[in-house]
Amino acid sequence: MRRTKAAKRTKQIERTERVERAEPAEPAARAEPTARGPRGRIVGVETRYMEERRVALEGLRGIDRRGFLRASAAAAAAAMACGVAPHSFQPVRVAFAGERGRERDGFRFAYISDSHLFEEKLNDRFVRALLRAVDDVNRLDPQPDFVLFGGDLAQLGQPAELRLGAQILRSLRAPVRMMVGEHDWYLDMGELWRDLFGEPTYSFDHKGVHFTVLNSILEEDFWSERGLSPMERMKTVAGLDNNAQRPFTVGVEQREWLRRDLAGLPSTAPVIVFSHSPLYKLYKPWNFWTDDADEVQALLRRFRSVAVIHGHTHQMLTNRIGSIHFHGMLSTAWPWPYAPEGLPEYTVQMSRPDPFNPNDGCGDGQVRVHPDGLVDKIYQLWNRNPITVTGAYLRSARRAGRPPAPNRKAY
Amino acid sequence: MAAAVLALVLSLPLAMAVSVGGAACSDDSTDPAPAPAKQGTTVVLCDGKTKVEIPPGAEKSRAGGQAVADALMSQWRQRHPDADWEAEVRRSHPRIPPPADNADVLAAGGQRDGQTYGRFTAKDVLSWQREIERAVLEGARIFHDSEALGSTIGMSCDMCHPDAANTHPETYPKFQVQLGRVVLLRDMINWCIEHPLRGTAMTANDPRMRALETYIYAQRKGQPLSYGKH
């Protein structure tokens, strides 16, 4: 059933993509609406809609806010000329015109994280939550440059869970960058995850920013001595408050890899690190913690601007250590409560979730990257207003741009 | 189950005393009257099932007695592989706040001459502690076990409430507008079991419910009661 739906969804997306790509390279050539559809003089509703939309976009490209009214009037006139009553685009496009303007210097990527999928026949709730996030991101216009998936795709590392997740993420329009979480790893020690998504440690450059993706959920062997089965090991690690496991680490090998990866970069280069666990020490009993965080931070300290985007904590979480800014991601499955101690002073808590609303406190979001590498973190909380934690707030040491305080703090 | 172990250890001398020198504890009651000298002795554990045969004419020594006790114990452990469940739960959840130690009732001045009520021994205090700790550990076990909770979708309490965080038992009873009445902690536990876990509500006297409440209250030790707080 779901497969059919997913297939349909993919088809729809492909169709949309084709439409997007059909936009011409030379805007001047299509300044006037043609009012001719593929079937000659008979113009379908959809064609007219797309025509109207195109005209509105052309009119707005490259203009400032003052020019907007003029362009929108022109678009309205053009639309009227093709016999279509102008509707949704005009007010909506204002905002996007602004966005486009800003994007000339900087870019955005979206994130989805911690979906904790069970097999769909066991638990459809988390599956629907991930589909919702995929829809959210696919609806973004303009599309983000890529989508970061922040780890814990599966709940118990089962092949069916990982494959289901891979299938759902395939319907994202933008390219996906994968990160691994402990729930994906400890059944087969990452074997299937690597088959599906490749190596968990890698780096890439995008529009002048260096991105590094780490596998920060490596634990010392606690299972061999106790003779635990792979499933027992998985279930132990899957328990956030289960202290029969060891703390997360990045490990000597990856730190050495990171050192080499960053070696050629000048200290002015903007660097963004993706890691599943927060790359600092917050609360050890829940593994809101990376045991060798100090060593990793030492490798990043020389850069003027570093942002670490992490999953695992399922909440709005902000920290700054020197020039390193840390941002947590939301989960699509459930929110975690704030740790009882050690909360960074930069964190402005999100309001405590409503237990009667299964999606409250969950969501997805975006990261806006400025040319200097400073990032704004957008928390797209489902059923709440989105909250942006700006790079300026962090850089100004909490003096400027403080995010809104929660109306209900944790008990 | 550890209670059984404890009882077993305490009652071993008794069990042995009863059975030594006769077949009184043998469950083979259809046998004709046995000849003790030829048949040896059957030592039965206090569970009435675990038994060890002592050959006739075996020397009665402390070491021999210990060997019999060890044999019984190892048999019992084989048949009860989960006997160490408390140690397992403790390993996973070592930070549960301890119950009140009640040292004051044993301290000087804690005992009054001429009173029977309130005259406690160290053994009393120990048994209180063991029983309440066992109840808390049982609660911790169920709290983290989707099957024990009866969830049909693989979920358990700890997935949203690690270490029972954000359960705030001290704020109940309170009027819960979504449920349209004044609710107790157990009503909210049942709400979670029925909705996020998609299970079946437990009765108030369900041992699992009692264990869950015990664990949740234990985790909020020291928090002042504040009923009606939202």
Side-chain angles (χ1 to χ4, degrees):
Chain A
M1 196 55 193
R2 170 67 67 196
R3 261 179 209 173
T4 331
K5 272 187 191 164
K8 250 184 216 165
R9 184 190 311 278
T10 318
K11 266 188 196 159
Q12 272 171 0
I13 290 155
E14 277 169 5
R15 204 178 308 138
T16 328
E17 268 179 331
R18 268 200 296 279
V19 170
E20 293 286 318
R21 288 194 199 107
E23 281 196 28
E26 291 172 66
R30 290 185 52 180
E32 290 298 316
T34 54
R36 283 178 74 89
R39 284 169 291 173
R41 298 181 64 85
I42 305 157
V43 181
V45 173
E46 200 178 332
T47 314
R48 280 189 289 171
Y49 180 88
M50 293 312 294
E51 195 66 22
E52 182 194 338
R53 177 175 180 276
R54 186 185 60 74
V55 172
L57 281 173
E58 297 302 340
L60 286 171
R61 192 157 289 170
I63 64 166
D64 58 11
R65 278 171 191 280
R66 273 187 306 166
F68 164 70
L69 277 178
R70 231 178 319 127
S72 95
M80 288 300 271
C82 4
V84 189
H87 38 87
S88 56
F89 302 121
Q90 300 174 39
V92 178
R93 290 294 148 189
V94 191
F96 285 123
E99 286 284 329
R100 276 190 196 283
R102 267 207 297 280
E103 290 218 329
R104 283 209 201 89
D105 26 58
F107 62 94
R108 287 169 312 117
F109 64 90
Y111 70 83
I112 301 174
S113 192
D114 295 84
S115 57
H116 293 268
L117 297 179
F118 287 98
E119 274 187 69
E120 196 188 9
K121 65 174 187 283
L122 174 62
N123 181 327
D124 61 317
R125 174 177 155 190
F126 295 162
V127 178
R128 280 187 284 110
L130 179 58
L131 286 169
R132 177 175 180 175
V134 168
D135 281 350
D136 277 0
V137 172
N138 278 345
R139 265 200 297 269
L140 292 175
D141 187 8
Q143 276 285 288
D145 285 11
F146 61 88
V147 186
L148 163 66
F149 187 84
D152 287 353
L153 181 62
Q155 168 67 8
L156 294 172
Q158 303 291 312
E161 297 170 354
L162 286 168
R163 292 213 168 93
L164 173 64
Q167 185 196 345
I168 293 173
L169 293 180
R170 229 170 273 145
S171 54
L172 280 164
R173 293 165 62 190
V176 181
R177 299 288 185 179
M178 291 299 291
M179 177 154 83
V180 76
E182 77 277 14
H183 287 255
D184 307 321
W185 191 262
Y186 280 93
L187 184 67
D188 61 0
M189 303 307 285
E191 209 172 295
L192 179 60
W193 194 93
R194 276 186 295 235
D195 276 357
L196 290 168
F197 307 113
E199 283 304 314
T201 311
Y202 59 97
S203 64
F204 59 96
D205 291 292
H206 183 79
K207 294 187 179 170
V209 177
H210 186 71
F211 287 85
T212 304
V213 188
L214 297 174
N215 174 1
S216 66
I217 49 91
L218 299 174
E219 295 187 14
E220 222 174 75
D221 183 347
F222 62 84
W223 49 89
S224 298
E225 191 191 355
R226 287 173 51 207
L228 298 184
S229 69
M231 194 55 192
E232 285 169 331
R233 172 178 65 203
M234 180 68 248
K235 283 195 162 173
T236 304
V237 177
L240 188 80
D241 60 1
N242 191 335
N243 283 244
Q245 59 182 311
R246 309 280 304 143
F248 289 151
T249 62
V250 170
V252 182
E253 211 175 303
Q254 268 187 108
R255 291 207 307 270
E256 176 54 22
W257 174 88
L258 182 63
R259 194 190 57 74
R260 283 200 310 271
D261 185 63
L262 300 174
L265 295 172
S267 62
T268 51
V271 175
I272 296 182
V273 180
F274 297 152
S275 77
H276 184 68
S277 64
L279 280 183
Y280 58 97
K281 297 180 175 181
L282 200 170
Y283 187 60
K284 198 169 185 178
W286 294 351
N287 255 338
F288 285 10
W289 186 274
T290 305
D291 220 38
D292 52 356
D294 298 339
E295 288 89 331
V296 179
Q297 287 168 22
L299 297 171
L300 299 169
R301 203 165 290 144
R302 74 182 169 95
F303 294 99
R304 206 160 61 186
S305 165
V306 183
V308 176
I309 312 291
H310 66 84
H312 190 60
T313 51
H314 300 203
Q315 59 196 213
M316 280 179 58
L317 189 63
T318 316
N319 194 13
R320 181 187 142 180
I321 298 172
S323 60
I324 311 175
H325 297 186
F326 301 86
H327 294 279
M329 285 185 275
L330 299 173
S331 161
T332 61
W334 69 82
W336 287 124
Y338 282 101
E341 58 191 43
L343 203 64
E345 55 182 3
Y346 281 87
T347 294
V348 175
Q349 296 188 18
M350 62 187 193
S351 200
R352 71 170 186 253
D354 172 5
F356 292 88
N357 184 337
N359 285 327
D360 197 32
C362 300
D364 45 63
Q366 294 182 76
V367 175
R368 192 184 297 129
V369 185
H370 297 277
D372 57 356
L374 209 60
V375 307
D376 297 341
K377 183 74 196 302
I378 303 164
Y379 291 94
Q380 183 69 46
L381 286 147
W382 292 335
N383 313 318
R384 299 187 192 180
N385 289 333
I387 296 176
T388 303
V389 179
T390 60
Y393 162 70
L394 283 156
R395 188 166 276 182
S396 69
R398 299 185 289 141
R399 278 189 288 273
R402 194 178 173 77
N407 61 344
R408 286 283 172 273
K409 277 176 81 167
Y411 283 99
Chain B
M1 269 178 263
V5 177
L6 177 65
L8 175 156
V9 171
L10 292 177
S11 57
L12 257 180
L14 182 68
M16 289 171 72
V18 168
S19 30
V20 163
C25 281
S26 166
D27 60 354
D28 198 0
S29 52
T30 53
D31 272 7
K38 282 183 189 169
Q39 246 191 349
T41 307
T42 307
V43 184
V44 183
L45 198 64
C46 54
D47 66 354
K49 291 174 187 161
T50 314
K51 55 186 79 170
V52 163
E53 295 287 337
I54 303 177
E59 193 194 338
K60 284 175 188 162
S61 65
R62 187 178 164 74
Q66 187 63 49
V68 171
D70 290 349
L72 285 168
M73 198 63 203
S74 80
Q75 261 194 58
W76 188 88
R77 281 202 183 282
Q78 267 180 7
R79 220 177 299 147
H80 298 89
D82 293 337
D84 277 338
W85 71 272
E86 284 171 76
E88 292 282 320
V89 178
R90 256 185 234 285
R91 188 208 321 263
S92 292
H93 307 288
R95 292 181 324 284
I96 301 172
D101 68 359
N102 295 308
D104 56 322
V105 304
L106 298 177
Q111 311 277 359
R112 287 276 157 76
D113 286 341
Q115 293 279 341
T116 49
Y117 177 74
R119 287 183 72 80
F120 299 114
T121 63
K123 201 172 159 186
D124 289 318
V125 173
L126 186 64
S127 64
W128 299 339
Q129 189 189 333
R130 284 185 174 161
E131 291 301 320
I132 187 63
E133 282 183 359
R134 181 170 310 121
V136 171
L137 292 174
E138 174 69 350
R141 186 183 70 77
I142 294 167
F143 195 85
H144 294 81
D145 183 340
S146 65
E147 274 175 45
L149 288 160
S151 170
T152 56
I153 59 169
M155 291 183 70
S156 51
C157 311
D158 60 301
M159 286 167 73
C160 294
H161 304 281
D163 290 333
N166 205 17
T167 50
H168 40 77
E170 72 279 5
T171 67
Y172 298 98
K174 68 176 145 192
F175 182 72
Q176 196 74 48
V177 74
Q178 295 92 335
L179 301 180
R181 63 168 173 163
V182 171
V183 297
L184 307 176
L185 172 63
R186 74 184 63 135
D187 296 316
M188 286 310 291
I189 295 176
N190 264 336
W191 187 89
C192 279
I193 288 173
E194 286 188 285
H195 295 272
L197 269 64
R198 296 193 205 153
T200 311
M202 297 175 186
T203 63
N205 217 25
D206 190 314
R208 295 172 299 164
M209 175 60 83
R210 299 170 68 91
L212 286 171
E213 284 194 45
T214 308
Y215 171 67
I216 291 169
Y217 278 113
Q219 289 283 19
R220 291 294 270 186
K221 180 181 177 176
Q223 196 70 25
L225 288 180
S226 180
Y227 79 95
K229 181 173 164 55
H230 284 266

